Structure formats: C-alpha cells, structure tokens
Amino acid sequence: MDTPFSQQTLDFLFENRLQDSRVWFGEHKKEYQSLVIEPLRQLVMDLTPTMLELDPDFQTEPRVDRTICRIWRDTRYTKDPSLYRDHMWIIFKRGGRMHGTDYPGVYFEINLDGFSYGCGFYHASTAYMNNLRARILAGDQEFQAAQETYLGQKLFAMEGDCFKRPRYGHRTPEEQIWLERRNIGFSADSHDFSMLFSKELPQKLAQDLRLLFPVYRFLASTAEETLRQQTERELLQR
C-alpha cells in the first residue's frame, strides 16, 4: 500500500466532524485528499484483483460515488444535522449504485475506533430475505457451503436485526441464526491501529476476506434469483 492511513487521517476525520463547517473543510481540502481519499483510492486498487476474482462484475473504479463513500452526509432523512461523517468506507458491489440494495457488497470502513470489514447488505429487501430463507429451508447446496465456511471461522460475526419473536424454533440452532434475520451481513472489527497504519493492511484484508467467498456467493446468487423473480412479475403485469 503506497499511501497508507495514518493517525493524521483519523485526526482529520475527527477535527472535520468537530468543526462541521464548509468553510473549514474548504480550507483543508488538500489534507482531505492526501490523508483520506488517496489512501482509500490506493486500497481500492490494491484489493481489486482479489475482488474481481470473487466477482468479475464488481464496480472497482477508485472514485467517490463509485467505490468510495462521500464524506458529506445526507441530512434529508435524519434528525442529525451534522454535515460530515467521522468515518469513511469503500465498497465493492455490482451495478452503478453504491447504496443500492439489489446486491450484497464487500466493504472496508475506517473509523475513530479502528476499522471494520466484511460483506452483506446495508438493507436487504423483504423479497430477498424471503428467498434466502426458502433456499435454506430447501437444503440448498450453496447455503451448505456458506454455512460450513461461516461455522469454520471465528473472525467474522453475523449481523442483522432479527424477528422479535422466533419463527424457526424447529430448525437447528445453526440454521436459526440465518433464518430469524430481517437483514444480513458479516463483519469483523479491529482496534489494531498498527495494522491500520501499515502497508500490510491490503494483504491482511485480502486474506481475511477470502474466508467469506462462499458466503458472498450464496448471498449474490440469492440476489440474482430475487431479481429474476422481480423481472418475471413485471413482465406478467404488462
């Protein structure tokens, strides 16, 4: 990694959020580019070969609104009026929309506490989760591979809100942790700042994220099936 993150990266994110000022940001835009954007761009480029091995259809252009998030917050749908975020992320996804919910993504986030990385959805649709459960209940082979992979590692934890009342108590506990969710993702959190600031970070991320390849493939193929069903319904309605 030619342009690694540093303590200055975190200091900038903290100070920018504290100032929360367009004027201050404008005066420090060069620091934003060199301390935040350049390391993120470099990380996208470093991880691209591994990500394309996982999914050749991933968006990999190292640009803001392609694989790199904006530092500016969308305040239209939140009570928090802050202009800037104190964390940044990259994401590899299919399609042209970073925040689209059609497909899962593989992400890395830097924040004031360290960093996190993994794969999954920011918000999976109800139709998607219904299809995911149907495949699990049918004993789908891709699910079996994903389940075996997930249970065979201890780095990534499954995340996502669950139903308030259990619905699949008759299934095994290993299946229930998938079936009872309304959203799904897999994440690892780290407070290892020495690794975050190291040129070895891309290598570690690539190695760790390979553990999730079977999981991602199950999530992605479920997304393909969900989109096929949606297209068929739309054609029938014409």
Side-chain angles (χ1 to χ4, degrees):
M1 188 171 182
D2 296 331
T3 312
F5 300 105
S6 67
Q7 183 59 50
Q8 290 177 296
T9 305
L10 300 182
D11 291 344
F12 176 87
L13 291 173
F14 175 80
E15 186 66 22
N16 185 55
R17 178 63 182 266
L18 184 65
Q19 295 291 335
D20 202 39
S21 162
R22 290 187 176 90
V23 173
W24 190 92
F25 180 80
E27 292 172 346
H28 296 81
K29 199 165 185 179
K30 288 184 178 180
E31 296 168 55
Y32 162 68
Q33 289 292 334
S34 63
L35 298 174
V36 179
I37 293 299
E38 284 307 314
L40 289 170
R41 288 185 70 253
Q42 185 62 52
L43 185 57
V44 170
M45 291 186 287
D46 289 339
L47 290 177
T48 287
T50 301
M51 293 297 100
L52 290 179
E53 179 184 339
L54 171 60
D55 191 334
D57 293 326
F58 271 154
Q59 167 67 254
T60 59
E61 187 179 2
R63 287 179 51 193
V64 172
D65 278 343
R66 294 294 188 272
T67 52
I68 303 171
C69 76
R70 298 180 182 183
I71 196 169
W72 305 276
R73 298 181 63 253
D74 186 345
T75 59
R76 293 174 298 172
Y77 308 108
T78 177
K79 295 180 180 179
D80 182 355
S82 303
L83 298 175
Y84 302 98
R85 61 180 91 255
D86 60 4
H87 58 284
M88 293 286 288
W89 67 86
I90 62 173
I91 188 165
F92 296 90
K93 287 184 66 175
R94 295 183 186 180
R97 296 187 302 160
M98 282 189 66
H99 305 289
T101 58
D102 293 337
Y103 286 103
V106 177
Y107 81 95
F108 165 86
E109 178 186 294
I110 181 173
N111 54 67
L112 301 181
D113 294 323
F115 61 98
S116 62
Y117 53 110
C119 80
F121 286 88
Y122 175 71
H123 180 70
S125 69
T126 299
Y128 175 88
M129 293 305 296
N130 286 340
N131 275 338
L132 181 138
R133 293 186 201 99
R135 293 184 70 186
I136 294 171
L137 293 172
D140 182 271
Q141 289 187 348
E142 272 195 316
F143 168 68
Q144 298 299 332
Q147 172 78 303
E148 182 177 346
T149 295
Y150 176 66
L151 295 177
Q153 58 81 47
K154 297 185 181 300
L155 179 60
F156 295 96
M158 192 184 302
E159 298 182 338
D161 293 337
C162 294
F163 295 121
K164 292 182 179 180
R165 296 182 180 179
R167 301 182 179 185
Y168 298 92
H170 60 290
R171 306 296 291 200
T172 66
E174 292 79 12
E175 290 177 327
Q176 288 178 45
I177 60 175
W178 298 72
L179 291 166
E180 300 289 356
R181 295 191 183 274
R182 302 175 65 180
N183 195 29
I184 192 163
F186 300 81
S187 180
D189 299 313
S190 175
H191 308 293
D192 186 351
F193 291 97
S194 63
M195 176 55 69
L196 178 60
F197 303 152
S198 168
K199 291 184 178 181
E200 304 303 317
L201 178 66
Q203 180 179 349
K204 172 181 172 52
L205 295 177
Q207 178 179 332
D208 289 352
L209 288 168
R210 284 181 179 279
L211 296 173
L212 291 177
F213 275 21
V215 173
Y216 170 83
R217 288 172 178 141
F218 171 60
L219 298 181
S221 62
T222 302
E224 292 170 350
E225 177 63 23
T226 304
L227 288 171
R228 278 196 297 268
Q229 292 174 0
Q230 179 181 334
T231 300
E232 290 172 359
R233 286 195 298 269
E234 290 173 353
L235 290 174
L236 289 173
Q237 291 172 359
R238 291 180 182 178

